[in-house]
Structures are given as structure tokens and as C-alpha cells.
Amino acid sequence: MSQIGNKIHSNQSYLNREIHYKKLIDNLDAEKEKIKIGGGKKAIEKQKAKGKLTARERINQLIDEFSTFFELSTFAAYGMYEEYGGAPSSGTIYGIGKINGKLHVIVANDATVKAGAWFPITVKKNIRAQEIAIENKLPIIYLVDSAGVFLPMQNEIFPDKEHFGRIFRNNAVMSSMGISQISAIMGPCVAGGAYLPIMSDEALIVEGEGSVFLAGSHLVRAAIGEVIDNEKLGGAKVQSNISGVTDYILKNDTECLMKIRSLREKAGSNLKAGFNRIDSKLPKYDSKEIYGILPEDPLKPYDSYEVIARIVDDSEIDEYKSGYGKSLITAYARIDGWAVGIVANQRNIIKTETGEMQVGGVIYSDSADKAARFIMNCNQKKIPLVFLQDVTGFMVGSRAEHGGIIKDGAKMVNAVANSVVPKITIIIGNSFGAGNYAMCGKAYDPRFIFAYPNSKIAVMGGSQASSVLLDIKLKQAEKSGHLFSEDEKNNLLKDILKSYEETSTPLYAAARLWIDEIIDPVKTREYISIAIESSDNNSDINKFNVGVIQT
């Protein structure tokens, strides 16, 4: 193992970067606190008046005391649906928590947000939660309290492959895979939404608050003229003692949550994948120093080894092909005791053995070739992959094209796509163009994908994109006989750049579930560790016989 990293000597540049990054974290935390209020204090008080817990209180009571709930997609729907008053966290909370010492995916409707109604992103978020349960063979708990589909947007929620019906399809698939699903009906559960808890393996219902039916009393009256209230139509006693639809009646939220814990306490364990883990060691350098290493401007260079030194155990790595393909770092290491294979973009300007200067963050032919081989090695050794992504793309130009950059890039993309070990992606800075794909962006099925607050996700950098877009607009205007003055061109360029930058932020990405969560760099080790621990619950990797093909 080789020691990496250097002691940081605080200078003004370091302090400026640290201040900048801490401000980003503070702003992010402030936005999270707003989101956690859900539909607002009045809506919370209304829920409390009924003797109900809030969604986050339910989760906190369900998980083990003093354990951590790793909430995911906290910023789902951020800045969206403003015409309807917004939908904080899309009206649904989900993440990974421990119940009786075992990891579970937990999904809870937030009834303070439009009575827990489902927006298009709510559907996507629930499908992502199920996807995580399926990929990692984790049991899943649904805490149901929802008025059903948000009707003004039903055309974007109901009919397509990845819409509402996919959730119930996933219920059936998970049951066939032996993935345990428990649903607690803690409020209304209406229409198509009634299938989710009833297609689970076991269903609990809270007396006086929980109800489940395909059509509520108002619709029943309109459809067939029958006059009946919701409790007699599909309340707890009716659905448990008469129809037999639900399995357990509980008096209140707390009793219901304790029953779930009791049921799960008796469940057996899955076979493990068997990823290598030993006792954890902290890095030799403080993880908080990442704040002062990363530049305020994500396009400026920095030494990626210094970031890695503050993430890996004992700040030690076994670097693979250290002198070759230097624009990518490939290394074996441990994170919180777990053996990992790291593929990281080197953001420094690099001098090669031939004296050539390579731009940091760009993938060259030799780097792509090295990474492809390393990824296959990790698959053969059953070592999870961690991608530390800060990439501006593949090298372009005649020299790169003549050297076969497309061919070598395709090798790397092929290796990433066909990798069977878990892939965890952290977007540290830039995530541009085909570099996003090669470094295991969302399209390449990372088990989990996280981003730092200063990251950028786009097809190319803002300055390049805005220049191209301006050129297109100017040519369109010329065809209609309009010529822009220099001031008009500059103002148009500013507007284009502003719009482009706004759609490249991690908040924009998190709102649309392109990433699973925006994380504090200090917590990188925690998130990677829980991701690998979750992945270790699925032993299917042992079915694959992965050889190394020397390309």
C-alpha cells in the first residue's frame, strides 16, 4: 500500500475555498430544513390533532434507536410544480435505515403535502426506492398515507411504462424474488393506490385513520347511488374482519410501527455477496479539508490524490498502472473497511513521460484503456467500484482522433456497462458529455449516485454551450432579416449562460432524480459504506463468472 496526500498548510487561497464550500453546505442545509416542514406548520398541526405522527416521526420510531436514516432524493421536485404551490420532497420520503440491525428501504407518504397526493416525480421517486430494494435485495416498508394521484396531472402519472402502474408491477416482481414487503395503512389509501399495500406480503392498518378502497364514498354515490361513509366502506375493521384484505389492526401509529419491528425481527437473513471488509481506519487527513482543496470554480485544476487521501482508510492505496494514463487514477483501497476499486479523474494538469502536457479532467486514450482493464480486474476479484467523477469529457482534435480515442473510449464504456460488481458514483465537480457515461453516470446503472454541492451536470461546460446556442440564435435571426447589436449579443449571451447554468446545478439534477442525493463531502465515507453494505445483501453476483479480457 502506498501513502498518499500531503498535510495542508492553510493559506489565503485554501481559506477562501473552505469558506466558499462551507457556505454551500450551509445553504444546502437551510433548504433541507425548509423541505422537512413539508406542507407547512399548519398542515403538521392538523395531522397532530388527529393523533397522527408526521412521516419523518414515523420513520424515526421505526428504525433502531441511535441509528442513522440515510434519506435519499430529499430534493425531489425542488423548484417544480410551483403553479400548484410546490411539492416539497415530492410528498414522499424514502431512504435506507436499520430495523433490528438489518438494512431496509423505507418509504413514507407525507400527508402534509397535498394530502400525500402523487405527482409525476412522486411516482418516479417511489419506483427508484423499489429499484434500490430490487438491486440490493433489501426488504421494503411502505408507510401509506395518501389521497392518490394528483388529478390535475393525471396524464403525466397514469398510462406510461414508468408511470403509476409500474409500482404495482414491481410489487409483484419483488414478491416473486423473495423480497419482503410490508405496508402500513396509516391514512387514506384510495383507488389504484390501494394496490400497493395489498400487493405487499403483509398489510397493517391503523384503526380510525387508515382506510383502503378502490372508490371513496363520494365516487361510490356518484357511480352507483349507494350512500355510505368511508369507515363503513373500507375502514380498519371492515377490511380486516369482513373482507380479510388487511392482516393486522393497530390502535395508533406507534403501535403499528412497533408491530412492523416485531414482524421484521423474526425474518431470516439473505445470503451475502461476500465483499471483502476488515476493521475500518480513518484517513490520516481530516475529511473536512476537502472543503479547502476543491476550487470555487469547478473548471479550475486541483490534485485529486489529495481528495482521495481524505476518503480512503489510512490514506493508503494500491495504484494500478500509476505511470500510465495519468488523467485517470485507478487504485485499490479501503473505505470504512470495505475493499474498493477507485476510478477517479485527475484534475491536475499532467506531464506525461514524453513531456506532453495533458489537461486535467479530460479522458485520453491511454487512460480509457487503463480504466477498462482495471474495471474488468475488479469484476474478476469481486471488488465494488467507486467512481469519483470530475470530468469535462474525452480528448478531441486530430491527434486524439487519429490515435483512436473513440475506440478506446468505447472499451471503457463497454466495461462500465457490463460490470456486475456494484458501482457507486460520486460527482465531485464536473460531469460533462460522454465523460458522464464513461465515469458511470445515471444511464449506466450505478447502485447509488451522489453529488457534491459544487458539481455541474451537463452535456458540456456553460461557456461552450452558451456560445453554440448564441450562434444558433444569431443565424436564426439573420434569416428573418434581424441583426443584433454588440450590446444585444452580450445581453443574449448572459441570458443564455444564466439559463444553462441553472439547469446544470446539483439541485436541478436532484429535483429530477438524476442523482440520489446531494451530500456533504465530509460524509462521503458514510455514504459509500452504506451503499456497499446494502449491495452486499444481494448474492446474485456469485452467479456470474467474470473473466478478464485484455483488450
Side-chain angles (χ1 to χ4, degrees), residues 183-232:
S183 284
I185 302 166
M186 309 177 87
C189 186
V190 187
Y195 284 103
L196 184 147
I198 308 312
M199 290 188 73
S200 298
D201 303 305
E202 292 181 281
L204 303 82
I205 188 166
V206 176
E207 190 174 359
E209 286 301 330
S211 58
V212 55
F213 32 64
L214 292 181
S217 56
H218 291 293
L219 186 55
V220 166
R221 183 173 184 177
I224 62 173
E226 182 182 2
V227 179
I228 190 170
D229 63 38
N230 284 340
E231 190 64 28
K232 291 178 181 176

Side-chain angles (χ1 to χ4, degrees), residues 326 349-359 364-366 395-396 399-400:
K326 290 184 176 182
I349 296 170
I350 304 144
K351 187 175 182 180
T352 68
E353 298 300 322
T354 61
E356 178 192 2
M357 301 302 287
Q358 294 186 347
V359 179
Y364 291 78
S365 281
D366 52 359
M395 190 58 192
V396 296
R399 186 172 178 178

Side-chain angles (χ1 to χ4, degrees), residues 15-26:
L15 292 173
N16 288 343
R17 293 193 294 267
E18 184 182 47
I19 291 166
H20 171 76
Y21 224 101
K22 284 183 175 178
K23 186 176 180 181
L24 288 176
I25 299 295
D26 288 343

